[in-house]
Amino acid sequence: VTAREFRRAAKKAAQILGRADKILILSHTAPDGDTIGAAYALCSALQKMGKKARTECGDILPAKYEYLFSKVDFPAFEPELVVAVDVASKNLIGDALSGYQDRVALCIDHHPSNTFYAGFTLLDPDAAATCELIYYLLGILNVKIDRYIAECIYTGVATDTGCFRFSNTTPTTLRVAAEMIERGADSATINKILFDTVSRERLRLETLALETLEYHFGGAVAIVCVSLEMCKTAGVTETDLEGLPSLPIKIEGVAAGVTIKEKEDGVMKISLRTTGAVNASQVCASLGGGGHARAAGCQVEGTMQEAREKILEELSKYLGKK
Amino acid sequence: VTAREFRRAAKKAAQILGRADKILILSHTAPDGDTIGAAYALCSALQKMGKKARTECGDILPAKYEYLFSKVDFPAFEPELVVAVDVASKNLIGDALSGYQDRVALCIDHHPSNTFYAGFTLLDPDAAATCELIYYLLGILNVKIDRYIAECIYTGVATDTGCFRFSNTTPTTLRVAAEMIERGADSATINKILFDTVSRERLRLETLALETLEYHFGGAVAIVCVSLEMCKTAGVTETDLEGLPSLPIKIEGVAAGVTIKEKEDGVMKISLRTTGAVNASQVCASLGGGGHARAAGCQVEGTMQEAREKILEELSKYLGKK
């Protein structure tokens, strides 16, 4: 999309929102800071415009986002307009809200993989976060960004860029964040909650996992294993496991970081992260999986040891001898 | 300083730089991304203005900043003007360069603790990084910021804010970073080097240290121990230990995070990090140390076990029973 096409589409999205009075906003399942921030920012803005608005999500919102979701009251109403934010495909609306899957009139999103399931889609695949689009829309709708909305939008842009570390961070992302701080967002507290807090259980699991760390191919490959037994000992939940596969690739000199997670007895999930040198998607495709050039995954049957041998065997085709 | 006083001081600093032809720029010992970024940005800018300029540091520059320090050539000359950047006091110039300690004509800094040892000091204690001041100065000096200078300045602001996570991050910090990306800084690669890379040795040490993790006061205090034996096993250098004391305070529910490091047989260095609930400086002062409200340290004699008991005893005065 050109900048002009995007501006025109944004005006149309603003019109759709402006015309409706009872608006339901949906977030995607396994909700993150961007889909929650976008939904609550938009909901609060529509309420400030005198409309009835509420948000729903097919999954329970993680407790760490309590500073956002505990601050808005939801009226009861039958929605006139259903909006989805940061939801790339209709199945991500989830089973619990499947009744809305074919009723989304407006989708606001930044995922290049968006399937255009909605009546109208405002998509900017160059935006780091859907919250950047919400910021832009609120400008058209002439809603003053107060401290609460600023914290919602800040949460979204910070979440999707790993606090401005990832390559999707653009000058626009940083300038939106700057303005949100000016409008009162307590960025330091939000950053501490999102990026500098680890649960006791997660840390225990990381310790156990790091004890299994092995290097191969002269240090170019690092492998970490996570068994069901370890998860039980550490007492982790699914949320505690988030981001674990990005650990081994952080090690200096490592070109391929592998995390093997026992899903159930005899079924292993392999997550592969690579630098530019190895195509993760290609490697995982050979084992029946897929993904992106630098982040991919696959599932194999057998023991942990067998999974390790399989992925090392595949990697050896790219890296030479172990 | 008011904004107007700062602008006037910046003009004077620009005049001092503008008048000189052979300029030496000093960084502080134990150099970090801000002092290196500021020195190399200013050096490159002065060279673009047709002047002779070079930088020096009393310590060897860490290898990870190679993308900055390998790209500038230094001519030999006897300096007419000595400038210090990000150097709060003259002893931080270091023993190796002590001959310059009383020759600093201009100091550009953001540390509130600056001792005003230089002929003229341009200080902005509200700036997150000295590189923000360099950015401002280059504007006055009318130097076009090219990709190299942009990477120097980006490195400084990112380093001193923990990649925009810390509370010192201001809207100005984020806008300077935004402009540096526009001017060509490869922020994603720099962020990966600075914030997403861990040495094998450091990771091994963290694993060993985490195995010693203990909770006290119902989880309000977390203690981690690092012995000389562990450092030897892991093969770490001093650089590998950087930031280790900020690990235990990241754990959910922890109000005081303690790291005890064996300095030599019978001498223990205690580092304390706290949330708002406990004054770290006060606790460490009782053990002969000091620091800030949320980050302080002290040194005690005895075994690791004795050090642990001493700090727990002090903390018990603030947190009640163990």
Side-chain angles (χ1 to χ4, degrees):
Chain A
V1 285
T2 64
R4 197 209 223 163
E5 282 165 352
F6 177 75
R7 280 197 299 272
R8 197 181 306 138
K11 268 185 201 156
K12 172 130 191 233
Q15 272 167 12
I16 295 171
L17 291 165
R19 275 199 299 262
D21 277 320
K22 294 172 186 167
I23 304 164
L24 170 64
I25 305 158
L26 303 176
S27 288
H28 62 70
T29 47
D32 59 19
D34 194 28
T35 197
I36 298 171
Y40 280 78
L42 184 57
C43 181
S44 179
L46 294 171
Q47 289 184 355
K48 284 178 88 166
M49 291 170 74
K51 299 169 185 296
K52 284 189 173 172
R54 69 166 194 270
T55 76
E56 283 191 46
C57 180
D59 281 338
I60 291 169
L61 306 185
K64 65 180 169 183
Y65 297 111
E66 197 251 348
Y67 66 95
L68 294 185
F69 64 69
S70 67
K71 287 185 187 149
V72 184
D73 286 324
F74 291 152
F77 58 83
E78 177 54 35
E80 272 171 32
L81 175 70
V82 178
V83 181
V85 291
D86 201 44
V87 182
S89 65
K90 67 180 177 185
N91 64 306
L92 293 171
I93 289 169
D95 294 341
L97 301 176
S98 59
Y100 292 123
Q101 286 185 351
D102 294 312
R103 285 187 57 193
V104 179
L106 173 63
C107 172
I108 304 164
D109 191 20
H110 73 123
H111 292 97
S113 57
N114 190 290
T115 62
F116 296 94
Y117 59 91
F120 183 76
T121 302
L122 176 65
L123 180 73
D124 182 0
D126 296 325
T130 293
C131 274
E132 285 183 24
L133 279 72
I134 300 293
Y135 165 79
Y136 190 81
L137 273 176
L138 297 197
I140 301 177
L141 290 169
N142 218 2
V143 175
K144 190 170 172 291
I145 294 177
D146 58 20
R147 181 182 167 156
Y148 175 75
I149 295 177
E151 299 210 322
C152 290
I153 293 176
Y154 182 87
T155 297
V157 295
T159 299
D160 271 19
T161 57
C163 207
F164 316 108
R165 271 184 304 131
F166 306 155
S167 60
N168 60 347
T169 308
T170 67
T172 300
T173 318
L174 292 166
R175 289 194 179 110
V176 169
E179 189 179 328
M180 295 309 107
I181 296 175
E182 276 169 348
R183 294 192 183 273
D186 182 357
S187 55
T189 300
I190 295 172
N191 294 342
K192 164 88 179 136
I193 294 169
L194 301 182
F195 307 106
D196 268 335
T197 302
V198 60
S199 71
R200 287 168 67 146
E201 295 75 20
R202 164 63 176 253
L203 195 61
R204 182 88 194 93
L205 184 76
E206 265 187 39
T207 310
L208 293 169
L210 282 171
E211 282 163 7
T212 72
L213 177 63
E214 269 183 15
Y215 295 99
H216 296 271
F217 302 100
V221 174
I223 302 193
V224 153
C225 294
V226 178
S227 66
L228 287 173
E229 180 67 31
M230 283 158 60
C231 290
K232 206 176 142 193
T233 305
V236 289
T237 60
E238 269 308 309
T239 322
D240 289 317
L241 295 170
E242 246 174 50
L244 205 63
S246 58
L247 208 157
I249 192 66
K250 288 186 190 174
I251 304 167
E252 222 170 340
V254 169
V258 179
T259 307
I260 307 176
K261 162 91 177 58
E262 185 180 14
K263 278 193 76 170
E264 53 192 273
D265 194 37
V267 182
M268 305 291 152
K269 167 96 179 81
I270 300 178
S271 299
L272 177 62
R273 299 289 180 273
T274 62
T275 60
V278 179
N279 188 314
S281 175
Q282 248 173 39
V283 175
C284 289
S286 326
L287 295 170
H292 306 277
R294 296 179 179 219
C298 56
Q299 198 162 300
V300 300
E301 296 196 354
T303 64
M304 190 73 86
Q305 184 53 32
E306 284 161 357
R308 191 173 6 216
E309 278 162 20
K310 275 181 192 163
I311 186 75
L312 282 172
E313 178 63 31
E314 279 311 314
L315 284 168
S316 75
K317 296 174 188 165
Y318 299 83
L319 291 163
K321 293 212 171 292
K322 305 182 204 180
Chain B
V1 282
T2 65
R4 198 212 222 157
E5 281 165 353
F6 177 75
R7 280 198 299 272
R8 196 180 307 138
K11 269 185 199 155
K12 172 127 193 239
Q15 272 167 13
I16 294 171
L17 291 164
R19 275 199 300 262
D21 276 322
K22 293 171 185 167
I23 304 164
L24 171 64
I25 305 158
L26 303 176
S27 288
H28 63 70
T29 47
D32 59 20
D34 192 27
T35 198
I36 297 171
Y40 281 77
L42 184 58
C43 181
S44 178
L46 294 170
Q47 289 183 356
K48 284 179 88 167
M49 291 170 75
K51 299 168 186 297
K52 284 190 173 171
R54 69 167 194 270
T55 77
E56 284 192 45
C57 181
D59 282 338
I60 291 169
L61 305 185
K64 65 180 168 184
Y65 297 111
E66 198 251 348
Y67 66 94
L68 294 185
F69 65 68
S70 66
K71 286 186 189 151
V72 184
D73 286 323
F74 291 153
F77 58 83
E78 177 55 33
E80 271 170 31
L81 175 70
V82 178
V83 180
V85 291
D86 201 45
V87 182
S89 64
K90 66 181 178 184
N91 64 305
L92 292 171
I93 288 169
D95 295 339
L97 300 176
S98 59
Y100 293 122
Q101 286 185 350
D102 295 312
R103 286 186 58 191
V104 179
L106 173 63
C107 173
I108 303 164
D109 191 21
H110 73 124
H111 293 96
S113 57
N114 190 289
T115 61
F116 295 95
Y117 60 91
F120 184 76
T121 303
L122 176 65
L123 181 73
D124 183 0
D126 296 325
T130 293
C131 275
E132 285 184 25
L133 279 71
I134 299 292
Y135 165 79
Y136 190 80
L137 274 177
L138 298 196
I140 301 177
L141 290 169
N142 219 1
V143 175
K144 189 169 173 290
I145 294 178
D146 58 21
R147 180 182 169 157
Y148 175 75
I149 295 178
E151 300 210 321
C152 290
I153 292 176
Y154 182 87
T155 297
V157 295
T159 299
D160 270 19
T161 57
C163 207
F164 316 109
R165 271 184 304 132
F166 305 154
S167 60
N168 60 346
T169 308
T170 68
T172 301
T173 317
L174 293 165
R175 290 195 178 109
V176 169
E179 190 179 327
M180 295 310 106
I181 295 175
E182 275 168 350
R183 294 192 183 273
D186 181 357
S187 55
T189 300
I190 295 173
N191 294 343
K192 164 88 178 138
I193 294 170
L194 300 184
F195 307 106
D196 268 335
T197 302
V198 60
S199 71
R200 286 168 68 147
E201 294 76 20
R202 163 63 176 253
L203 196 60
R204 183 87 193 94
L205 184 76
E206 263 186 40
T207 310
L208 294 169
L210 282 172
E211 283 162 5
T212 72
L213 177 63
E214 270 182 15
Y215 296 99
H216 296 271
F217 302 100
V221 174
I223 301 194
V224 153
C225 294
V226 178
S227 66
L228 287 173
E229 181 67 32
M230 282 157 61
C231 290
K232 207 177 142 193
T233 305
V236 289
T237 60
E238 270 309 309
T239 324
D240 289 318
L241 296 171
E242 246 174 49
L244 204 62
S246 60
L247 207 157
I249 192 66
K250 288 185 189 172
I251 306 167
E252 222 169 342
V254 169
V258 179
T259 307
I260 306 177
K261 162 92 177 58
E262 183 179 16
K263 278 194 73 169
E264 52 191 277
D265 194 35
V267 182
M268 305 293 152
K269 166 97 180 80
I270 299 178
S271 299
L272 177 62
R273 298 290 180 273
T274 62
T275 60
V278 179
N279 187 313
S281 175
Q282 248 172 40
V283 174
C284 289
S286 326
L287 295 170
H292 306 278
R294 294 179 180 218
C298 56
Q299 198 162 298
V300 299
E301 297 197 353
T303 64
M304 190 73 87
Q305 183 53 31
E306 284 161 357
R308 188 169 13 210
E309 280 162 18
K310 276 181 192 163
I311 186 76
L312 282 172
E313 177 64 30
E314 280 310 315
L315 284 168
S316 75
K317 296 173 188 165
Y318 300 83
L319 292 163
K321 294 212 169 294
K322 304 182 206 180

